[in-house]
Amino acid sequence: HLVNPVTGQQISNLPPVTTVAPVRRLLDDGGAVVPGMYVVYPYDWTLRVEPLVNAPMTLTARELSEYLYLRVFLSSDPSSDIVGGGCVVVLLHRPDGQMSFARLGDTHWTWKRTPTGNEQYVDVGFSADGRMLYGIRRDGAIHEFDLGGEPALERTTILPAQDGMMRHTNYLVDAPWLGGGDGGCWLMVCRRMGAANLQAYAAWLADRSLPYDGVWNTHSIKVYRVDPAAGTAAEINHVGGRHALFLGCNSSFGLAMADCPAGILPDHVYYTDNEEQYALDTPECARDIGVYRMGDGSFHRVKPPSPWLDWPLPAWIIPSFGCLGYSNRFLAN
């Protein structure tokens, strides 16, 4: 289902979770479906299921939700496409940042199976008409897919893998205000997280009996302008002087100052954490929320007013009463 957390509107004509590649219903010895139980096949990085190495997991519906879903993306406003055919919903899911998509009304999720190796897609963007899908991986590679093409989902490399990117959480931001011709302009934002208390972390690595709170925060943010024609990315220290960027567990986006409430500053990056190894695997830890100033590389960290406000992950909500967009009004369930 898609659920609007403000209005309560639900859109339910998405395919069942059992049509996502690694998921099946649990059957009893007589072949009947066991209610509320699922089997997940955690294939390894080669995309092969090895029963003796990767034994299937039996999960409840809640456990499946916590394991499977990483991020969800919408190509357009789903509330105006109840019949289906226009809005594309993309799932990034475990294992290893796999990508599956469906249009409203489809009967199954289509697995975007890519060649073996480092899959780990971490963010997704769409062309203005919703026909082209763009995915960025943890290693900085950006791929383009034609959702209506033949053969289906043929991959084009926009940016090859970048050296030294594997420890980053990367984001893909559409920046049409910067120009870029027919292919538009894409920004790659690389955010590196690590232990908030490096001294305590180093001591804990040396002696696991010592206390360590497990809290991470953002150590660095770098913004790159992607040149698809050259297959290169150049670091920049501003995004035009009239826009701000927003990153987190929902769609990455940029907003013009004219569309922002008072207090939002240009050439700043507003972020929340969605790093899989931290945000998803340690939900009990404090969330990392802050503002990065591109001009001088400074950070302003925002601490939630109550220490128990750590789950679910914070998300940016764009109000539906203006012209600011649609992509963050629905959450997946």
Side-chain angles (χ1 to χ4, degrees):
H1 292 72
L2 294 175
V3 180
N4 186 316
V6 177
T7 67
Q9 180 187 4
Q10 296 191 32
I11 296 174
S12 57
N13 59 336
L14 281 171
V17 68
T18 49
T19 62
V20 178
V23 182
R24 297 292 183 271
R25 292 306 300 259
L26 178 65
L27 305 179
D28 62 22
D29 293 339
V33 171
V34 179
M37 300 297 295
Y38 299 84
V39 178
V40 178
Y41 296 88
Y43 42 74
D44 62 15
W45 66 272
T46 66
L47 305 188
R48 297 176 302 194
V49 175
E50 302 287 352
L52 298 180
V53 178
N54 306 100
M57 301 182 295
T58 300
L59 303 176
T60 65
R62 178 177 292 276
E63 290 169 338
L64 175 65
S65 175
E66 294 174 350
Y67 168 80
L68 188 68
Y69 300 119
L70 297 177
R71 299 178 70 188
V72 180
F73 307 86
L74 308 175
S75 68
S76 59
D77 186 346
S79 61
S80 62
D81 184 37
I82 303 300
V83 175
C87 178
V88 177
V89 181
V90 175
L91 297 180
L92 292 188
H93 58 86
R94 287 189 174 108
D96 292 330
Q98 295 296 305
M99 185 191 303
S100 297
F101 81 94
R103 291 178 173 85
L104 299 185
D106 281 357
T107 58
H108 68 280
W109 292 95
T110 298
W111 180 22
K112 179 47 227 86
R113 181 167 183 166
T114 57
T116 59
N118 168 30
E119 306 312 308
Q120 296 193 357
Y121 285 100
V122 290
D123 202 3
V124 162
F126 296 91
S127 61
D129 60 6
R131 179 183 176 88
M132 308 304 294
L133 169 67
Y134 299 86
I136 185 170
R137 302 194 312 192
R138 186 174 290 276
D139 62 3
I142 300 176
H143 298 147
E144 178 187 66
F145 307 95
D146 187 346
L147 293 173
E150 295 292 341
L153 290 177
E154 183 175 0
R155 185 178 78 177
T156 301
T157 298
I158 300 299
L159 184 70
Q162 305 293 295
D163 293 338
M165 286 294 202
M166 288 303 294
R167 295 185 179 181
H168 290 72
T169 300
N170 300 325
Y171 303 88
L172 191 60
V173 182
D174 186 15
W177 66 88
L178 294 177
D182 294 338
C185 180
W186 292 98
L187 299 176
M188 176 175 64
V189 185
C190 304
R191 183 170 63 94
R192 184 174 65 86
M193 294 187 70
N197 188 329
L198 291 176
Q199 184 176 0
Y201 178 62
W204 177 77
L205 288 177
D207 182 357
R208 296 300 177 97
S209 67
L210 294 176
Y212 169 58
D213 58 14
V215 175
W216 284 17
N217 60 24
T218 299
H219 287 196
S220 69
I221 291 178
K222 294 184 177 181
V223 182
Y224 299 84
R225 180 167 179 168
V226 177
D227 184 342
T232 59
E235 187 175 358
I236 57 177
N237 60 10
H238 66 88
V239 289
R242 297 182 179 180
H243 290 75
L245 307 182
F246 294 81
L247 314 175
C249 66
N250 50 333
S251 300
S252 308
F253 58 96
L255 288 182
M257 290 299 97
D259 295 329
C260 290
I264 300 298
L265 301 174
D267 293 328
H268 283 61
V269 179
Y270 295 80
Y271 63 88
T272 67
D273 59 69
N274 66 288
E275 165 61 43
E276 180 179 351
Q277 292 180 332
Y278 177 65
L280 297 181
D281 291 346
T282 57
E284 72 281 358
C285 284
R287 300 277 61 89
D288 180 38
I289 307 171
V291 184
Y292 171 71
R293 183 177 180 179
M294 295 182 63
D296 62 9
S298 61
F299 286 88
H300 172 70
R301 306 196 190 280
V302 179
K303 186 176 181 180
S306 301
W308 57 84
L309 296 179
D310 53 14
W311 196 261
L313 296 178
W316 302 108
I317 301 294
I318 298 180
S320 59
F321 49 75
C323 60
L324 301 185
Y326 53 79
S327 60
N328 299 286
R329 286 190 283 156
F330 282 81
L331 301 177
N333 180 23

